[in-house]
Amino acid sequence: MQNSFDMQTLVFLVLAVFVAWKLRSVLGQKTGHEQPKDPFARRETPPVRPDQPQAPEKRDNVIRLPGAANDPVAPEPPAAERWKDLAAPDSPVSAGIEAVIRQEPSFDPHEFVGGAKAAYEAIVTAFARGDRKMLKGLLAKEVYDGFEQAITEREKRGEKAESNFVSIDKADLAAVEVKGKTAQVTIAFVSQLISVTRDAQGAVVDGSAEQVSEVSDIWTFSRQLGSRDPNWLLVATESAA
């Protein structure tokens, strides 16, 4: 039994030595002075001989962006050209816009018209709801007093109004004026509106809950130029004929 165990042990030792010798012959020997390989290291390009022609530098991976230093700079169009869709270059409206910009260079008539359309819709719907708080922040005192009186009289009669915008078809600059530090901009609105007034029992006393009506208004907004308050207030309203 002991001899059998020793013989098996000897066979395994011989096999282990043989396998180790084969691995050593295939993989080579380490001396302890090898440098670890860096997978992120750049490969060095072999030196070029003086008599060897050099390849031109590749620039295929360069993306040219607009506005580069060597790009020609387009001349900025004249100021009046930027709002020619709102006012003719030699018109009083164009002159008024230039007068506003001289005092406030950041004034943009296109942004103003967009804001005026939003204010127009907000004021009309706030008046229908009787929202005095919103109206007070958008109207000059004289205009607010007139709106507030109309709301009070409507409430006394027990009536309720509803106004829903279908669209604002036009918002044209009708006049732009500057007097001292005060600027006034008048806009002619044409809108499609569903407007109805009901009594306390819900019966329709004015307008229609289904019919769309075309409404034309001329509103004037005003602001003190140079003021910290950026808001324009509604200072006058009238219905267009």
Side-chain angles (χ1 to χ4, degrees), residues 188-229:
F189 294 101
V190 177
S191 62
Q192 303 297 323
L193 187 68
I194 298 176
S195 182
V196 61
T197 302
R198 303 177 186 273
D199 61 18
Q201 287 72 40
V204 176
V205 296
D206 187 31
S208 171
E210 299 176 355
Q211 183 177 354
V212 178
S213 301
E214 183 175 278
V215 179
S216 298
D217 290 310
I218 298 176
W219 285 16
T220 300
F221 300 87
S222 181
R223 180 174 173 270
Q224 288 295 111
L225 299 177
S227 170
R228 293 183 179 181
D229 185 358

Side-chain angles (χ1 to χ4, degrees), residues 5 35 46 59 80 90 126 129 133 158 199-200 231:
F5 174 77
Q35 295 294 329
R59 306 290 292 179
D90 297 325
R129 295 194 311 267
K133 183 177 181 180
D199 61 18
N231 294 327

Side-chain angles (χ1 to χ4, degrees), residues 88-160:
D90 297 325
S91 66
V93 172
S94 181
I97 293 174
E98 293 176 4
V100 175
I101 292 177
R102 278 195 293 269
Q103 296 198 43
E104 286 197 353
S106 61
F107 177 76
D108 186 329
H110 291 93
E111 291 183 0
F112 179 87
V113 171
K117 291 168 67 175
Y120 176 64
E121 183 173 350
I123 290 170
V124 170
T125 54
F127 173 71
R129 295 194 311 267
D131 189 343
R132 293 175 173 83
K133 183 177 181 180
M134 176 171 283
L135 293 174
K136 204 163 191 177
L138 297 172
L139 311 180
K141 185 179 184 306
E142 296 79 6
V143 178
Y144 173 79
D145 289 343
F147 276 49
E148 200 277 334
Q149 182 178 355
I151 292 172
T152 300
E153 292 175 354
R154 189 175 66 207
E155 291 173 343
K156 288 179 179 178
R157 295 191 300 268
E159 297 175 349
K160 292 185 178 180

